[in-house]
Amino acid sequence: MSDTVKPRAIPFIPISAPRFGAEEEDLVLQVLRSGMLAQGPMVARLEELSAAMAGVPHAVAVSSGTAALDAALEVLGVGPGDEVITTPLTFVATLNAILRRGATARFADVTDDYVIDPASMAALITPHTRVLLPVHLYGLMADMERIEEVARRHGLGVVEDAAQAHGARLRGRPAGGFGLGCFSFYATKNVTSGEGGVVTTSDGDIADRLRLLRNQGMRSRYDYAVVGHNWRMTDLAAALAIPQMGRLAAITERRSHNAATLTRLIGPNCGVVTPRTPPDRVHAWHQYTVLLPPGCDRDRVVAGLRDRGVGAGVYYPRLVWDYPPFLDHPLVVRNVTPHAAEVAGRCLSLPVHPGLGEPELARVAEALRGAVTA
Ligand SMILES: *Cc1c(COP(=O)(O)O)cnc(C)c1O
């Protein structure tokens, strides 16, 4: 026996960590043993749970959050000549979905809470505007009551990019219950099926048409009603997500508790701006995102966190249109959005997922202070 004590490696704290238990294993095995892997009863069950989550009667599961956005814009008839207003502080999927329809993308600015500003959206409306596409960034709902009001006044469709916002609420009304709600079940999202998505809607007609679009435009075998797609989800994927949907309230509660703990532990003294939840909202805390001090070298902070065993993320380092495919794109209108530009330059997301307890959160806060002041 050696009498030297090896230092135990401190485990790295990742920015996201999917958690599955016996329930997921049982349900996935059930599908495997049934031998029926394609869209079936598990998908139907996940749709019921998704509709309940959004507080609407209908949900149509699809193969990804991106497919959900594609389907929502297509079912609303968005096409060439139409304009869609969204936020420049989003994942590229939001913009790609607009451009795939041949529609023009316009960008409104964000508020201090990082989500799209309804007044800035209203100012961009033209006679060609067809749809308002807010993103519930980091799990915080945009001000959907005001957006709904703007949409009603101008006769516009509303699509919510709720990919990050399972279970988020505004004055008691859930995300996905205002317009067509587009959720993602991608591997890093608050509820995951590996890959997957769902569209929620209160409109039965729209739900019917979404079901057609998802499955080759087919009403029953060889009865084709429209030009369609293969956007189906597998029963295996649905089986993975179903138990997490059952635990969603607990997952959100835990993320929320972790966020409050981080805010307390980071404290007001290191020049970092911690995120704020408007009192009328339940935040889903997909990401816990701070603003670094102005002029602070973010790459250095990310590296410093990594050296201290903490994974950080930058969502998103540049405005969504600020990449080669979009810079000279004729359908991309690069509106001036100073608040969004400021956030993109200073934002940093820290681990907040339900796998973290008090000791890990203390390490995250300590590492941040160390990396910022180093
Ligand atoms: C993840 C995400 C999407 C796309 O979802 P996928 O399931 O990855 O296709 C769209 N919008 C936002 C804001 C996202 O975070």
Side-chain angles (χ1 to χ4, degrees), residues 210-264:
L210 287 170
R211 287 178 204 285
L212 287 176
L213 287 177
R214 158 178 73 176
N215 190 21
Q216 309 289 7
M218 197 163 74
R219 216 172 272 292
S220 58
R221 181 168 291 201
Y222 304 134
D223 174 10
Y224 303 114
V226 296
V227 177
H229 306 264
N230 174 2
W231 282 333
R232 296 181 305 262
M233 179 188 274
T234 68
D235 253 23
L236 271 175
L240 196 52
I242 288 168
Q244 298 166 68
M245 291 293 276
R247 294 197 301 270
L248 182 57
I251 290 172
T252 306
E253 183 61 36
R254 184 60 188 270
R255 285 178 174 272
S256 179
H257 174 81
N258 286 355
T261 303
L262 280 172
T263 295
R264 177 168 51 77

Side-chain angles (χ1 to χ4, degrees), residues 64-66 69 90-91 93-94 135 161 163-164 184-186 189 196 316:
S64 69
T66 305
L69 290 166
T90 186
F91 183 53
T94 320
V135 178
D161 185 335
Q164 307 183 354
S184 166
F185 297 117
Y186 178 64
K189 300 292 155 80
Y316 297 92

Side-chain angles (χ1 to χ4, degrees), residues 140-187:
L140 181 69
M141 282 180 72
D143 187 345
M144 291 309 301
E145 286 185 350
R146 286 178 62 203
I147 291 169
E148 194 172 52
E149 168 57 31
V150 172
R152 195 174 298 135
R153 201 161 58 227
H154 296 271
L156 307 175
V158 176
V159 174
E160 301 172 65
D161 185 335
Q164 307 183 354
H166 312 73
R169 286 172 184 271
L170 167 68
R171 273 190 240 272
R173 282 178 68 186
F178 287 81
L180 272 69
C182 298
F183 293 86
S184 166
F185 297 117
Y186 178 64

Side-chain angles (χ1 to χ4, degrees), residues 5-369:
V5 181
K6 261 205 203 151
R8 202 148 38 105
I10 304 165
F12 190 80
I13 301 175
I15 184 86
S16 75
R19 298 196 338 149
F20 309 118
E23 281 185 291
E24 280 86 352
E25 291 179 7
D26 287 349
L27 223 52
V28 169
L29 261 181
Q30 208 173 298
V31 176
L32 284 181
R33 289 177 178 151
S34 78
M36 295 189 298
L37 305 185
Q39 182 181 299
M42 294 292 178
V43 169
R45 177 73 188 129
L46 181 60
E47 289 178 337
E48 284 169 23
L49 293 166
S50 301
M53 169 179 72
V56 293
H58 310 284
V60 180
V62 291
S63 47
S64 69
T66 305
L69 290 166
D70 280 334
L73 293 176
E74 183 168 344
V75 83
L76 290 178
V78 172
D82 294 334
E83 295 179 0
V84 177
I85 299 173
T86 192
T87 164
L89 206 57
T90 186
F91 183 53
V92 72
T94 320
L95 174 55
N96 280 335
I98 297 168
L99 298 179
R100 263 194 302 276
R101 296 304 307 155
T104 295
R106 288 183 180 274
F107 299 97
D109 210 349
V110 300
T111 67
D112 287 350
D113 308 309
Y114 314 136
V115 288
I116 198 164
D117 179 354
S120 175
M121 292 183 105
L124 294 179
I125 291 172
T126 76
H128 302 289
T129 308
R130 192 70 185 274
V131 164
L132 303 181
L133 205 179
V135 178
H136 304 326
L137 192 71
Y138 309 141
L140 181 69
M141 282 180 72
D143 187 345
M144 291 309 301
E145 286 185 350
R146 286 178 62 203
I147 291 169
E148 194 172 52
E149 168 57 31
V150 172
R152 195 174 298 135
R153 201 161 58 227
H154 296 271
L156 307 175
V158 176
V159 174
E160 301 172 65
D161 185 335
Q164 307 183 354
H166 312 73
R169 286 172 184 271
L170 167 68
R171 273 190 240 272
R173 282 178 68 186
F178 287 81
L180 272 69
C182 298
F183 293 86
S184 166
F185 297 117
Y186 178 64
T188 59
K189 300 292 155 80
N190 286 19
V191 176
T192 177
S193 62
E195 295 276 9
V198 68
V199 184
T200 55
T201 175
S202 52
D203 185 323
D205 229 41
I206 283 182
D208 276 351
R209 285 189 286 137
L210 287 170
R211 287 178 204 285
L212 287 176
L213 287 177
R214 158 178 73 176
N215 190 21
Q216 309 289 7
M218 197 163 74
R219 216 172 272 292
S220 58
R221 181 168 291 201
Y222 304 134
D223 174 10
Y224 303 114
V226 296
V227 177
H229 306 264
N230 174 2
W231 282 333
R232 296 181 305 262
M233 179 188 274
T234 68
D235 253 23
L236 271 175
L240 196 52
I242 288 168
Q244 298 166 68
M245 291 293 276
R247 294 197 301 270
L248 182 57
I251 290 172
T252 306
E253 183 61 36
R254 184 60 188 270
R255 285 178 174 272
S256 179
H257 174 81
N258 286 355
T261 303
L262 280 172
T263 295
R264 177 168 51 77
L265 293 172
I266 291 167
N269 297 328
C270 63
V272 164
V273 180
T274 52
R276 187 185 85 91
T277 307
D280 59 1
R281 271 160 259 196
V282 174
H283 200 311
W285 293 108
H286 174 60
Q287 299 293 352
Y288 178 91
T289 303
V290 302
L291 294 185
L292 295 176
C296 177
D297 181 345
R298 180 167 54 192
D299 293 342
R300 197 181 50 75
V301 173
V302 170
L305 282 163
R306 197 190 318 110
D307 291 344
R308 291 166 173 82
V310 174
V314 178
Y315 312 106
Y316 297 92
R318 284 151 75 173
L319 299 182
V320 70
W321 50 255
D322 192 13
Y323 292 89
F326 311 118
L327 286 173
D328 295 314
H329 198 297
L331 299 177
V332 174
V333 181
R334 291 181 279 137
N335 299 96
V336 178
T337 54
H339 290 109
E342 174 83 7
V343 175
R346 292 171 56 195
C347 64
L348 180 79
S349 301
L350 300 165
V352 71
H353 56 80
L356 306 174
E358 207 83 13
E360 290 81 21
L361 295 166
R363 269 183 59 204
V364 171
E366 188 56 42
L368 177 69
R369 272 196 306 267

